[in-house]
């Protein structure tokens, strides 16, 4: 490998690693305070969290399906603390990851404070279609999913490849 090629690859790999983690950083800052309220010894905090999570959680929420204009039927779960005017948080998973690959403790902690939407990417898990070969195509599919749910406002969280998808969605929807 030439030194020119190596110089080109190193910044790209670094950029990809930073890209995958930067979307998560926005939510990671809020998770510890939510986790503290879950483990807080006060009865009021525990009661509020229990009441919010008792109906559905990451492991008990039903799988739902929606067909988008691209012809793909997406499998997803939508649950958590929803109130009028709140903005749901849409989760995009890593390479070959499904909506079952999220840690229920993390998802339930976030769902105690806001509505969450977990989704299987195109061609993965319970979603139909052929898995796209580029991140840009994956982001356009993600936009089709979001549009199928008719979400006027939403936040995005992605892990690894999902972080890149989330950033592409943000670029397309600025």
């Amino acid at each position: 490998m030439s030194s020119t090629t190596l110089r080109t690859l190193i910044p790209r790999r670094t950029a990809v690693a930073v890209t995958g983690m930067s979307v998560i950083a926005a939510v990671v800052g809020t998770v510890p305070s939510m986790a503290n309220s879950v483990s807080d010894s006060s009865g009021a905090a525990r009661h509020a969290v229990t009441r919010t999570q008792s109906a559905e959680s990451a492991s008990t929420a039903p799988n739902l399906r929606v067909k988008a204009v691209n012809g793909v039927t997406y499998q997803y779960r939508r649950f958590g603390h929803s109130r009028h005017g709140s903005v749901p948080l849409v989760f995009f998973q890593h390479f070959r990851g499904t909506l079952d690959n999220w840690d229920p403790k993390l998802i339930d902690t976030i769902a105690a404070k806001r509505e969450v939407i977990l989704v299987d990417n195109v061609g993965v898990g319970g979603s139909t279609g052929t898995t796209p070969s580029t991140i840009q195509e994956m982001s356009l599919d993600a936009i089709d999913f979001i549009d199928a749910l008719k979400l006027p406002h939403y936040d995005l969280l992605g892990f690894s490849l999902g972080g890149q998808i989330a950033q592409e969605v943000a670029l397309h929807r600025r």
Side-chain angles (χ1 to χ4, degrees), residues 7-25 94-95 134-136 138 158-168:
R7 273 187 249 138
T8 304
L9 289 177
I10 292 172
R12 174 76 177 135
R13 286 183 182 157
T14 303
V16 168
V18 170
T19 299
M21 295 308 290
S22 63
V23 176
I24 291 175
H94 59 80
F95 179 66
T134 68
I135 292 168
Q136 183 170 3
M138 292 176 195
F159 176 68
S160 190
L161 178 63
Q164 293 177 294
I165 294 168
Q167 288 189 9
E168 280 289 320

Side-chain angles (χ1 to χ4, degrees), residues 75-130:
Q75 179 169 276
Y76 69 101
R77 288 187 194 130
R78 188 173 185 170
F79 60 97
H81 184 75
S82 177
R83 64 185 190 285
H84 180 69
S86 68
V87 177
L89 180 60
V90 181
F91 287 75
F92 297 115
Q93 190 52 274
H94 59 80
F95 179 66
R96 295 180 56 138
T98 69
L99 51 85
D100 291 321
N101 290 119
W102 290 103
D103 180 355
K105 181 117 175 131
L106 170 69
I107 300 302
D108 290 347
T109 300
I110 295 170
K113 298 283 185 183
R114 66 186 304 178
E115 181 178 22
V116 300
I117 301 172
L118 310 177
V119 61
D120 282 342
N121 293 330
V122 174
V124 178
S127 293
T128 64
T130 302

Side-chain angles (χ1 to χ4, degrees), residues 41-62:
S41 62
S42 76
R46 275 187 308 210
H47 178 69
V49 171
T50 302
R51 186 178 65 239
T52 304
Q53 292 180 346
S54 64
E56 292 179 347
S57 69
S59 56
T60 63

